[in-house]
Amino acid sequence: MDFATLKALKPSAFSDAADGYRSTSDMASAAKDRIEHQIAVAMRNANEGEAATAALKQLRELAENFHYTQVESGLVGAALDGFAYDLEAAKKKLDAAVGNAQAEKLTVHSDGSISYPPGGKEVDGELPEGGTVTGLTDSTASAVGRQAANFDPNPNHRRAQEYADQIADALKEATEADEKWAPKLRALKADDDLTVSDRDWVDVKKDTGGVLKAAEDYLDSVEEPPKHGTPKENAEWWKSLTDEQRADYIAVHPDSIGWMDGLPTAVRDETNRTVLAEAHGAAQVEMDAWMAKEPQHYWERYTVNPNTGEEVKQMIPTDEWTAWEEKRKELQKPLDGMNAIQSRFDNYTDESTRPYLLGFDDKKLGHVVMSVGNPDTADNVVTYIPGTGTKLSSIDGDISRAELLQDQATTTDPTHSTASIMWLGYDAPQSLLGDATDAKWADNAREPLSSFLTGIDAAHGGHVNSTVLGHSYGTLVAGETMRDHPDLPVDNAILVGSPGVGVNHAHDLNIPADHVWAATAKNDMVNMAPPPAGQWAPLNPMAYWRLFNDHSVMYGNDPTSDEFGGQTFGVADGKFPLTDGLMPAHSQYWEGDSLADMAKIATGGTT
């Protein structure tokens, strides 16, 4: 960038352009919301049939177009803000150097060079000559230039060289900013079509990474989010930002903003929807690439039927296809989970059951936090913590449980709103006789769950009637979290199918014992689970004590026992083991009287 260009440049023009792109992003977001939350909902309620299905499909595609426009325009806005910030620093340096030079009667030329007049002490009756200098940015050349100016008896030479170097530095910084941002901005270009493909979302993630890296200096100038901040600190930080800064943070940090406890539900949902779209796009692109490599499925084998003597052709899957199919199934699993999440946005029919994605990633086995109803405005919030075997690929059933409870709570108390949350914000154990016998999974979940529950309360703006619902190993997660956080904003605890909650008495959960409710179906095999690893040994007397101590389970006293001291509610016996899977009764708490009682508890009543 040359002197004349930078001298005439107005960084505010790029900031104004950023505002324009943010306005476009906001308009696209509003259009998407109107389609998803008004038009599509009304159509699902009023119409059915092939025509309605086709129209809804078109609406979903249109909403995705607006979503893509929203995200990409937000990235352009953040990039332009970053570019303007970098140029502003260079521009200020240039203007300061020019102003100071002119104040000292030095002449700044259109190429950035500076002329200085004769000055200093006379030598042989004459003033030392004036001259013209050019700014130097190379460290060696600059040092030589400064040394030459210092030896010159004309002091104007030294000052001119200083200002010329400052001008050169400003031009260098502006050039570097231009070279850094030009390719980033050029990359923010959509395909020339009306279809938002999976690869488009992959490109969005790539674009986000590029803008984020380039915008480091700009983001450093904005107050950073608190490291390991409490929900209250996160909320205060968010409130301290301007609308522009919030938009830029959302654009370049959707993954971290989406998990920040204490922020408004709408903000978290917006960012996590973007992360979901990007993850789904990447997973689908990988799947499509793998499908294109399908090898020969069968090879033919001919045998002779010994009874008839006829030749029989058999179709045998090839080894290559069998291996290919195994990987295809593995690639499909996370897609199944992401499709299950998306289906909630595509099919809900009432604002009270509107889904909100409060946390999402596909790391390891995946993490999902989804609310049915808005916890920021609800009268009651119930947070369900699933247990062993929970992961992204099978999340559909766990979200369904949250939906069933929300629906029942609405029926139980139609005058108060209830938000039902499914919280898989931890790595759940995956095997009953292996992982689930170790408390480490719950140990690692205590702080994330405590932060989440506190964040729900903070974002609500006033205390909300909060219930924690743990199932199976999730009861241990809930119990340990409540045990270790005396000030946790929780009013009620529901513990179903529990192997123990990490305490021996209900009062150890730091809420009144009569607000702790537990139930275990008669045919639930959970109480037959072995003790924690290392405790079942021939020389361990506690191992034998368990055979006679009927209120002791894997992780403390059975929460349904009298010794535990809490409340119980009735549940059906459930199906016998192995009649419908290994432990069917272990999954039957979200039906019948059990579901009705849980809804009563969650809405502040009693069974």
Side-chain angles (χ1 to χ4, degrees):
M1 185 173 293
D2 60 27
F3 175 82
T5 300
L6 184 57
K7 184 87 168 53
L9 187 142
K10 294 181 179 179
S12 61
F14 296 100
S15 297
D16 292 342
D19 290 339
Y21 274 98
R22 268 191 297 272
S23 295
T24 300
S25 179
D26 290 343
M27 287 188 288
S29 177
K32 174 180 72 70
D33 288 347
R34 177 166 170 73
I35 291 171
E36 288 186 336
H37 307 312
Q38 295 182 34
I39 299 173
V41 170
M43 184 171 289
R44 283 193 290 270
N45 282 317
N47 300 283
E48 59 182 26
E50 292 184 5
T53 300
L56 285 168
K57 181 176 182 294
Q58 292 178 335
L59 283 174
R60 284 196 295 270
E61 292 173 352
L62 181 58
E64 188 171 20
N65 270 285
F66 281 124
H67 188 195
Y68 178 75
T69 301
Q70 171 195 351
V71 174
E72 285 284 84
S73 295
L75 279 173
V76 175
L80 288 170
D81 276 336
F83 184 39
Y85 176 83
D86 289 347
L87 286 179
E88 182 70 29
K91 173 71 170 173
K92 286 181 177 178
K93 182 178 288 188
L94 176 74
D95 291 344
V98 170
N100 290 334
Q102 291 174 341
E104 296 195 31
K105 309 302 182 185
L106 304 176
T107 302
V108 180
H109 300 290
S110 60
D111 61 354
S113 62
I114 297 179
S115 296
Y116 57 93
K121 295 182 180 179
E122 292 185 355
V123 179
D124 297 331
E126 294 184 359
L127 291 173
E129 294 182 352
T132 300
V133 294
T134 300
L136 302 169
T137 57
D138 178 79
S139 57
T140 300
S142 181
V144 171
R146 288 195 302 272
Q147 186 176 29
N150 288 333
F151 281 125
D152 191 332
N154 185 345
N156 294 322
H157 186 179
R158 175 179 56 79
R159 291 194 293 275
Q161 188 64 59
E162 288 177 358
Y163 296 135
D165 287 349
Q166 291 173 14
I167 289 173
D169 282 340
L171 293 174
K172 180 182 179 184
E173 289 179 12
T175 299
E176 290 174 347
D178 186 52
E179 292 174 346
K180 177 177 71 172
W181 282 109
K184 305 297 182 187
L185 288 164
R186 280 196 294 268
L188 298 174
K189 182 179 180 180
D191 292 337
D192 188 18
D193 58 41
L194 294 177
T195 301
V196 179
S197 67
D198 295 302
R199 194 166 295 280
D200 285 333
W201 284 112
V202 173
D203 288 340
V204 168
K205 186 173 180 62
K206 182 179 178 182
D207 291 342
T208 301
V211 173
L212 174 60
K213 184 176 181 180
E216 288 177 346
D217 291 340
Y218 162 62
L219 293 175
D220 286 344
S221 72
V222 180
E223 182 181 355
E224 295 184 352
K227 290 185 178 180
H228 310 295
T230 65
K232 181 179 179 181
E233 290 170 340
N234 293 339
E236 290 174 348
W237 167 75
W238 187 251
K239 291 176 182 176
S240 73
L241 302 180
T242 65
D243 290 342
E244 292 78 9
Q245 291 167 342
R246 290 177 185 173
D248 289 344
Y249 258 99
I250 287 174
V252 298
H253 283 299
D255 49 353
S256 58
I257 293 296
W259 283 102
M260 286 189 73
D261 298 317
L263 268 58
T265 286
V267 173
R268 297 180 66 168
D269 177 63
E270 176 186 342
T271 55
N272 285 310
R273 292 284 301 278
T274 297
V275 177
L276 172 65
E278 293 172 351
H280 187 280
Q284 190 62 57
V285 166
E286 186 178 8
M287 170 63 87
D288 292 344
W290 187 250
M291 292 296 292
K293 298 177 181 178
E294 183 176 5
Q296 180 181 338
H297 193 163
Y298 298 105
W299 62 274
E300 296 179 2
R301 184 177 69 177
Y302 291 87
T303 59
V304 176
N305 187 322
N307 296 321
T308 64
E310 294 181 356
E311 191 175 53
V312 178
K313 182 173 72 171
Q314 293 180 313
M315 304 297 289
I316 310 298
T318 64
D319 291 343
E320 294 80 6
W321 186 89
T322 301
W324 175 87
E325 175 65 4
E326 281 299 310
K327 184 172 180 180
R328 186 200 66 77
K329 290 179 180 178
E330 287 302 309
L331 293 175
Q332 185 62 44
K333 287 178 179 179
L335 280 168
D336 288 341
M338 288 184 270
N339 289 336
I341 294 170
Q342 183 59 45
S343 71
R344 268 59 188 190
F345 295 98
D346 295 340
N347 294 297
Y348 83 96
T349 57
D350 187 82
E351 183 62 27
S352 66
T353 60
R354 175 176 167 179
Y356 292 88
L357 193 57
L358 304 182
F360 173 82
D361 67 53
D362 58 349
K363 298 173 183 175
K364 297 182 180 178
L365 294 174
H367 305 92
V368 180
V369 181
M370 194 164 201
S371 180
V372 184
N374 188 344
D376 288 359
T377 58
D379 299 305
N380 310 298
V381 173
V382 55
T383 302
Y384 157 53
I385 302 101
T388 302
T390 314
K391 51 187 178 292
L392 172 60
S393 61
S394 60
I395 205 65
D396 185 38
D398 293 289
I399 297 175
S400 294
R401 290 175 176 177
E403 292 171 326
L404 286 169
L405 185 53
Q406 196 277 341
D407 182 65
Q408 184 64 48
T410 301
T411 300
T412 300
D413 184 3
T415 62
H416 295 90
S417 58
T418 297
S420 181
I421 300 171
M422 192 290 302
W423 187 85
L424 182 62
Y426 79 114
D427 296 318
Q430 295 299 303
S431 61
L432 289 172
L433 301 182
D435 292 350
T437 62
D438 194 329
K440 68 179 182 180
W441 312 94
D443 296 343
N444 293 333
R446 286 177 295 189
E447 294 308 316
L449 178 57
S450 170
S451 178
F452 177 78
L453 293 169
T454 305
I456 291 297
D457 198 62
H460 194 276
H463 182 64
V464 60
N465 178 47
S466 174
T467 300
V468 170
L469 166 59
H471 173 241
S472 187
Y473 191 91
T475 65
L476 179 62
V477 174
E480 285 197 3
T481 302
M482 295 177 68
R483 177 196 69 195
D484 294 348
H485 300 87
D487 297 325
L488 200 64
V490 170
D491 300 284
N492 314 287
I494 303 174
L495 313 165
V496 291
S498 175
V501 298
V503 299
N504 287 324
H505 302 284
H507 59 70
D508 294 329
L509 297 179
N510 294 302
I511 62 174
D514 61 354
H515 283 240
V516 178
W517 296 83
T520 298
K522 179 181 178 180
N523 293 322
D524 191 338
M525 293 176 62
V526 68
N527 287 330
M528 297 178 63
Q535 289 189 16
W536 189 254
L539 299 181
N540 179 7
M542 290 305 297
Y544 298 97
W545 175 241
R546 282 173 43 82
L547 298 176
F548 305 98
N549 182 12
D550 63 2
H551 62 264
S552 174
V553 288
M554 187 183 299
Y555 295 109
N557 283 339
D558 181 350
T560 66
S561 67
D562 292 339
E563 289 81 1
F564 189 76
Q567 303 253 50
T568 61
F569 59 96
V571 296
D573 291 349
K575 297 178 181 178
F576 286 109
L578 304 179
T579 58
D580 184 11
L582 177 63
M583 299 170 58
H586 193 57
S587 301
Q588 290 187 271
Y589 297 99
W590 281 263
E591 56 187 58
D593 292 341
S594 173
L595 177 63
D597 284 346
M598 290 194 295
K600 291 177 183 177
I601 297 166
T603 54
T606 58
T607 64

